[in-house]
C-alpha cells in the first residue's frame, strides 16, 4: 500500500513539473543567462587552429560545470562562404566520455561573429566537466578561422588537438557559455539546434529577439493554475 502511494505521489509530482515546464515555455519565461565569456582577440599572428590540428579537429575544455548549460558560443574570425565542407561540433563529458550533443553545419552558411550552438535541453544530473570538439569533414575545403581569447596559463584549458590531446596554441578558444534551468528546453538567440537522437517536439529551440528571458514579473496565480491543470 505504501509503495503504491509513493508511486502515485511520484507520478503526480512529475505531471505537475511537466505542466509547469510547459507553462514556462509558452510564456517565454525560461531563465537563460550568459555565465561565461572569453572575448575574441584580434591577433592576425595567431594561426587558424582548425588548419593546424589533425583530422580530428580541435578540442576545448569548458571552464563551467555541466549543470544548466544550455548553449555554447564560438567566435568565427573569418568566414568561408565558398566552402563546400561541413563544420562538425560535439559536446562530451570528460569523466565518462558520454556524448551529450552534436551539431553539423554547412560552412558556407556560417558568417563571421558569434555562432551559438544550442542544446535541446539544459543539462541536468551530476556535475561533469565538458569538452567541446570542433572539426571539418572535408580536408580540402576552405576553413573558417576560429577566434582565440587571451593567453591561458593552464595547459588543460588551452585549445588542443583533439586526437593528440596536446596544446596547439597558448590561448583558449573565444567562448560563450549560457546556462538555464536544468532539464528545461531553453530559448536560444540565433541558434543552430543540436542534432541529437532525442525526439523533437514543438517546444524546441526558437529564436528570441529581445534578449535572455528571466523569471521575473511572474504571476503566482498563473503558475498555480498551470500546475493544477
Amino acid at each position: 500500500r505504501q509503495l503504491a502511494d509513493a508511486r502515485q505521489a511520484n507520478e503526480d509530482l512529475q505531471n505537475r513539473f511537466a505542466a509547469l515546464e510547459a507553462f514556462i515555455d509558452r510564456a517565454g519565461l525560461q531563465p537563460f543567462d550568459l555565465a561565461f565569456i572569453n572575448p575574441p582577440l584580434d591577433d592576425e599572428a595567431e594561426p587558424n587552429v582548425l588548419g593546424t590540428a589533425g583530422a580530428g579537429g580541435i578540442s576545448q575544455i569548458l571552464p563551467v560545470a555541466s549543470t544548466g548549460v544550455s548553449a555554447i558560443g564560438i567566435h568565427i574570425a573569418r568566414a568561408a562562404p565558398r566552402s563546400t565542407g561541413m563544420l562538425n561540433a560535439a559536446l562530451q563529458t570528460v569523466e565518462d566520455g558520454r556524448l551529450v550533443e552534436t551539431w553539423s553545419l554547412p560552412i558556407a552558411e556560417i558568417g563571421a561573429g558569434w555562432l551559438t550552438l544550442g542544446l535541446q535541453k539544459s543539462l541536468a544530473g551530476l556535475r561533469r566537466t565538458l569538452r567541446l570538439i570542433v572539426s571539418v569533414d572535408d580536408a580540402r575545403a576552405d576553413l573558417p578561422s576560429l577566434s582565440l581569447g587571451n593567453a591561458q596559463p593552464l595547459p588543460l584549458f588551452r585549445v588542443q588537438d583533439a586526437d593528440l590531446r596536446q596544446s596547439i596554441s597558448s590561448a583558449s578558444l573565444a567562448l560563450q557559455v549560457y546556462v538555464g534551468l536544468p532539464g528545461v528546453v531553453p530559448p536560444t538567440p540565433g541558434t543552430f539546434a543540436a542534432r541529437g537522437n532525442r525526439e523533437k517536439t514543438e517546444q524546441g529551440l526558437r529564436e528570441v529577439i529581445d534578449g535572455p528571458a528571466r523569471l521575473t514579473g511572474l504571476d503566482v496565480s498563473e503558475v498555480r493554475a498551470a500546475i493544477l491543470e
Side-chain angles (χ1 to χ4, degrees):
R1 173 69 180 184
Q2 291 179 341
L3 180 59
D5 290 344
R7 287 177 175 171
Q8 184 61 49
N10 180 66
E11 183 177 349
D12 291 343
L13 181 61
Q14 294 298 323
N15 290 338
R16 292 185 180 189
F17 179 80
L20 178 58
E21 181 181 0
F23 169 77
I24 291 175
D25 183 70
R26 289 196 304 270
L29 295 170
Q30 303 92 327
F32 186 71
D33 297 298
L34 181 61
F36 173 84
I37 182 170
N38 184 28
L41 293 182
D42 186 11
D43 187 356
E44 296 183 357
E46 281 284 357
N48 185 353
V49 290
L50 280 176
T52 304
I58 58 136
S59 68
Q60 174 70 58
I61 300 291
L62 302 190
V64 175
S66 61
T67 303
V69 169
S70 305
I72 300 165
I74 57 176
H75 193 272
I76 308 298
R78 180 183 60 81
R82 296 184 179 179
S83 178
T84 58
M86 300 288 288
L87 183 76
N88 301 313
L91 187 65
Q92 64 179 203
T93 57
V94 173
E95 289 81 1
D96 52 12
R98 182 173 64 89
L99 185 64
V100 178
E101 295 284 15
T102 61
W103 301 264
S104 187
L105 321 171
I107 294 174
E109 297 180 10
I110 301 174
W114 286 108
L115 172 67
T116 305
L117 304 171
L119 279 70
Q120 294 185 42
K121 283 192 176 183
S122 300
L123 297 183
L126 297 175
R127 291 164 64 89
R128 291 286 186 263
T129 306
L130 297 174
R131 175 186 287 117
L132 178 69
I133 300 172
V134 182
S135 63
V136 174
D137 67 357
D138 185 353
R140 298 168 299 177
D142 292 335
L143 299 177
S145 180
L146 301 183
S147 299
L148 300 177
N150 288 308
Q152 174 55 252
L154 299 176
L156 178 65
F157 292 99
R158 294 172 183 167
V159 61
Q160 299 182 342
D161 183 291
D163 291 332
L164 301 177
R165 300 289 171 84
Q166 295 178 352
S167 300
I168 55 176
S169 172
S170 61
S172 53
L173 280 181
L175 281 176
Q176 292 176 333
V177 181
Y178 292 88
V179 298
L181 190 64
V184 171
V185 178
T188 311
T191 241
F192 279 94
R195 181 190 63 186
N197 55 8
R198 291 194 287 271
E199 182 180 347
K200 295 197 170 46
T201 69
E202 293 182 355
Q203 297 178 1
L205 297 167
R206 62 182 184 276
E207 187 173 356
V208 176
I209 303 300
D210 58 355
R214 299 288 194 278
L215 283 173
T216 56
L218 188 60
D219 189 330
V220 176
S221 63
E222 293 183 41
V223 176
R224 184 179 296 111
I227 296 175
L228 298 176
E229 284 180 350

